[in-house]
Amino acid sequence: MNRIGMVSTSRAGCTFIRKYLCNVYGMQDSNSWLKKNGYRNIEDAPFANQKHILKILVHYIPEHDLAWVLNDMPKIWLYRRDTCQQFLSHVARLRTGINHVYSSEEQPKIPDKSLIATRDEYERFVKRQDLFWRLYKSYGFLKNEPLIMYEDFCATPEEHIDSLYDWHWQSFGIPLKERISMPLKIDVNYEDKFINYMEVVNWFDINE
């Protein structure tokens, strides 16, 4: 099997960690291939015959295909502890159209108090979070697949790299000669940018 999946929800840090691991383990990055292509056509993907990490956001896969796709490869499960910040990042991405930045000049320029998150967006976000955890319990936990918290990985990447290698060393290679470009942290203080920042915080406090 050339493929390892990385399952997460939007803005959980999947792009950063996936590219980081691809550079360390000598794997190709699928980017968001599944967003516009069905898994049934995966063997036609340009990276299919090489060791790669497949990005799987839970809403990318039609519900009737979830079991088949998630049983077809070993997977890394990624989540973010600060779901409020994750949600605000998600909404900011929707408003600005900026997914990732690779230079300081690309950082989004968002006027203060110019964004507002809607309750519908929050409820859709929560449903996807719930779906992620249900899928992990059904297709990840029972197989003892790694569950990684984004904040922990950023604090101690080397520990996670060693642990992942021990988990599935046969899928990993040597570091790439030409390294994949790494995205920068998007530098936005969401409290300054969102009109209803405290309202959003309260949604998450109540949900907990």
Side-chain angles (χ1 to χ4, degrees):
M1 169 62 73
N2 288 325
R3 183 174 310 123
I4 286 181
M6 181 170 285
V7 188
S8 71
T9 55
S10 179
R11 314 306 287 178
C14 179
T15 295
F16 174 80
I17 293 180
R18 196 179 67 252
K19 291 179 183 293
Y20 192 111
L21 296 180
C22 282
N23 282 329
V24 170
Y25 293 133
M27 303 179 78
Q28 298 299 312
D29 180 22
S30 70
N31 292 307
S32 298
W33 188 88
L34 273 182
K35 187 174 183 178
K36 296 181 178 179
N37 300 275
Y39 189 71
R40 297 179 189 281
N41 301 316
I42 188 71
E43 297 306 326
D44 297 330
F47 51 80
N49 293 324
Q50 305 172 70
K51 294 178 183 294
H52 62 273
I53 300 178
L54 182 66
K55 176 183 178 180
I56 306 174
L57 297 193
V58 292
H59 63 280
Y60 279 2
I61 311 295
E63 187 173 349
H64 60 271
D65 283 341
L66 279 168
W68 167 57
V69 173
L70 295 177
N71 279 322
D72 198 48
M73 72 196 87
K75 299 166 296 299
I76 299 166
W77 299 78
L78 174 68
Y79 73 102
R80 189 166 168 178
R81 175 176 55 206
D82 193 338
T83 51
C84 183
Q85 290 294 301
Q86 180 184 351
F87 172 68
L88 292 168
S89 173
H90 170 67
V91 176
R93 178 190 67 82
L94 293 176
R95 302 292 186 270
T96 63
I98 297 175
N99 292 307
H100 308 289
V101 300
Y102 292 86
S103 69
S104 57
E105 291 77 17
E106 296 176 348
Q107 291 285 354
K109 297 173 177 60
I110 306 173
D112 288 353
K113 304 304 180 187
S114 63
L115 302 178
I116 185 167
T118 69
R119 185 71 186 189
D120 284 346
E121 288 171 325
Y122 166 76
E123 290 175 356
R124 191 177 308 116
F125 175 85
V126 170
K127 285 181 181 178
R128 289 176 178 174
Q129 295 292 110
D130 290 344
L131 175 59
F132 170 86
W133 288 111
R134 292 201 311 272
L135 294 173
Y136 169 69
K137 289 175 183 176
S138 297
Y139 302 103
F141 177 77
L142 295 177
K143 297 181 180 179
N144 200 30
E145 292 180 333
L147 175 66
I148 295 176
M149 185 167 70
Y150 168 76
E151 290 88 348
D152 279 352
F153 183 94
C154 291
T156 57
E158 294 300 326
E159 289 183 16
H160 288 81
I161 287 168
D162 292 343
S163 177
L164 289 171
Y165 187 83
D166 291 341
W167 164 66
H168 222 271
W169 60 268
Q170 64 267 36
S171 293
F172 301 133
I174 59 175
L176 297 174
K177 291 182 179 179
E178 294 186 15
R179 297 178 68 83
I180 298 170
S181 297
M182 293 294 298
L184 303 178
K185 184 181 187 303
I186 292 183
D187 187 18
V188 174
N189 184 329
Y190 296 115
E191 184 173 5
D192 293 340
K193 306 307 178 184
F194 278 84
I195 296 171
N196 62 333
Y197 175 82
M198 290 309 302
E199 180 183 15
V200 172
V201 171
N202 189 52
W203 292 343
F204 282 88
D205 287 344
I206 292 172
N207 192 47
E208 290 179 357

